[in-house]
């Protein structure tokens, strides 16, 4: 490691979201209510500028917080505002939160977006963007995708689809274009400027059946077409498939990551591209580790990929005896520092780490 910081939360979290400045938002996901939502100030060594010499402050600091009466399974900061949006069971409604001003340390709920029509809807997946007004993209199934104006609650867009496939991930490609990923791995593009038409989902090329999938959307290479963005899909069996957002039905490369067993659960699956390292991605959710890969060397063979780095801190930091080893619940890349990641685990541990530069690009 080049640097490693640890912080113990009062309860396990499954969300990490970079907010304004050098701040991180986390939230608990317990079923009993009283789940904390915290805004943490990251250690000074994580400032964008390199820190010279020893730094006396090496811990996260709690700046403000609040409580949610429901589990928080997803949390997104609304760009250019002091608002947060959360979702979680028992339904697909959203909660909107105001991060307090400097004279207060309270995060308070200010509004809600009602649940979708129908019963038995899973919790909603969410993404945010700052367009003409702050928007939140949300939905639990392909036929229930909507865009809501966060501050007014106005419905901006509703997808037209007869397909009720469950969603696992969704993202704004820009303020007009959406990318949706179904739990079975199909991808679907939508444009809010076009009249609503039935969404067409592209299947995963040469993918095994019966596995659950999630996706991560990266930035295109510097100087490339703004519409050319890499998409990686990760399955519960450890399969990774790369595609280009312009041709979602075609596979550019594939690989398999190291997983404890193909039967691992999909509850905490997480895959994400490094924002400041071309072709580099991270995978977690199978055990107590986070694997970093350089995808630029992958081909179409689907062979097992060799990780560039494996973070094992959560696995070694768990309780002894007969307790189950902790499982990584989520990870996130630092927006500017190329090799810095945050990860959280089911034992309440929060780690931020930076590995030593290797000979590869990662």
């Amino acid at each position: 490691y080049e640097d490693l910081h640890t912080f113990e939360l009062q309860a396990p979290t499954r969300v990490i979201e970079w907010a304004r400045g050098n701040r991180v938002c986390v939230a608990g996901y317990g079923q009993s209510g009283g789940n904390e939502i915290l805004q943490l100030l990251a250690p000074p060594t994580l400032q964008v500028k390199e820190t010279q010499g020893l730094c006396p402050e090496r811990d996260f600091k709690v700046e403000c917080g609040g409580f949610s009466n429901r589990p928080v399974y997803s949390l997104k900061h609304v760009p250019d505002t002091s608002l947060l949006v959360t979702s979680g069971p028992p339904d697909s409604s959203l909660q909107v939160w105001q991060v307090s001003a400097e004279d207060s340390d309270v995060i308070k709920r200010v509004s809600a977006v009602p649940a979708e029509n129908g019963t038995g809807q899973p919790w909603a997946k969410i993404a945010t963007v700052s367009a003409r007004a702050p928007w939140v993209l949300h939905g639990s199934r392909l036929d229930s995708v909507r865009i809501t104006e966060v501050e007014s609650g106005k419905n901006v867009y509703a997808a037209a689809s007869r397909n009720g496939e469950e969603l696992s991930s969704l993202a704004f490609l820009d303020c007009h274009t959406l990318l949706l990923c179904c739990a079975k791995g199909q991808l679907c593009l939508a444009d809010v400027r076009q009249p609503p038409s039935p969404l067409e989902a592209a299947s995963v090329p040469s993918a095994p059946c019966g596995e659950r999938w999630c996706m991560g959307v990266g930035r295109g290479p510097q100087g490339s077409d703004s519409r050319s963005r890499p998409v990686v899909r990760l399955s519960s069996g450890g399969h990774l498939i790369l595609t280009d957002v312009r041709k979602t039905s075609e596979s550019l490369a594939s690989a398999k990551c190291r997983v404890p067993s193909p039967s691992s659960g999909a509850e905490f699956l997480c895959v994400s591209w490094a924002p400041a390292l071309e072709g580099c991605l991270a995978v977690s959710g199978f055990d107590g580790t986070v694997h970093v890969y350089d995808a630029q060397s992958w081909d179409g063979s689907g062979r097992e990929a060799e990780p560039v780095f494996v973070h094992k801190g959560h696995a070694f930091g768990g309780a002894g005896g007969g307790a189950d080893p902790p499982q990584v619940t989520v990870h996130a890349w630092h927006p500017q520092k190329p090799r810095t990641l945050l990860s959280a685990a089911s034992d309440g541990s929060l780690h931020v780490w930076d590995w030593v530069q290797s000979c590869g690009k990662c």
Side-chain angles (χ1 to χ4, degrees), residues 27-28 30 32-37 66-72 86 95 97:
S32 58
N35 292 289
E36 281 189 305
I37 300 178
F67 288 94
S68 170
N69 60 5
R70 59 170 64 204
V72 179
T86 64
Q95 318 301 313
W97 304 81

Side-chain angles (χ1 to χ4, degrees), residues 9 14 20 44 51 61 78 105 147 315:
L9 299 166
R14 60 184 294 167
R20 299 165 298 167
T51 302
K61 288 186 176 180
V78 182
D105 60 359
I147 296 177

Side-chain angles (χ1 to χ4, degrees), residues 97-216:
W97 304 81
Q98 174 76 56
V99 179
S100 59
E102 293 182 0
D103 58 346
S104 173
D105 60 359
V106 176
I107 297 176
K108 60 181 180 180
R109 199 183 79 132
V110 292
S111 63
V113 178
E116 305 147 10
N117 293 330
T119 58
Q121 295 280 6
W123 60 279
K125 284 57 178 187
I126 55 179
T128 55
V129 72
S130 183
R132 287 182 289 272
W135 288 354
V136 57
L137 168 66
H138 56 107
S140 60
R141 301 188 184 278
L142 198 57
D143 57 1
S144 65
V145 174
R146 290 185 288 163
I147 296 177
T148 301
E149 195 173 278
V150 177
E151 293 171 316
S152 68
K154 177 184 175 183
N155 186 38
V156 176
Y157 169 85
S161 178
R162 294 180 292 273
N163 189 331
E165 289 284 352
E166 183 182 349
L167 290 172
S168 65
S169 319
L170 38 73
F172 279 105
L173 299 179
D174 54 42
C175 60
H176 304 296
T177 316
L178 323 173
L179 183 63
L180 317 171
C181 180
C182 299
K184 292 182 179 179
Q186 309 100 310
L187 292 181
C188 189
L189 275 169
D191 192 322
V192 301
R193 296 166 296 186
Q194 302 296 328
S197 58
L199 299 177
E200 299 293 334
S203 298
V204 185
S206 307
C209 299
E211 298 183 355
R212 291 182 64 87
W213 295 76
C214 66
M215 76 167 180

Side-chain angles (χ1 to χ4, degrees), residues 211-262:
E211 298 183 355
R212 291 182 64 87
W213 295 76
C214 66
M215 76 167 180
V217 181
R219 298 177 181 176
Q222 191 170 5
S224 66
D225 186 335
S226 61
R227 293 170 296 176
S228 175
R229 298 180 64 177
V231 180
V232 58
R233 278 173 279 186
L234 169 67
S235 81
S236 54
H239 296 93
L240 290 153
I241 295 179
L242 305 186
T243 54
D244 189 294
V245 74
R246 295 171 299 179
K247 295 182 179 180
T248 55
S249 60
E250 296 181 13
S251 171
L252 298 178
S254 61
K256 194 173 188 304
C257 59
R258 296 176 180 177
V259 298
S261 67

Side-chain angles (χ1 to χ4, degrees), residues 26-55:
V26 297
Y29 63 93
Q31 300 293 329
S32 58
N35 292 289
E36 281 189 305
I37 300 178
L38 300 175
Q39 180 171 281
L40 308 175
L41 182 63
T45 54
L46 283 189
Q47 299 294 339
V48 176
K49 295 181 180 178
E50 293 294 332
T51 302
Q52 299 296 323
L54 294 175
C55 182

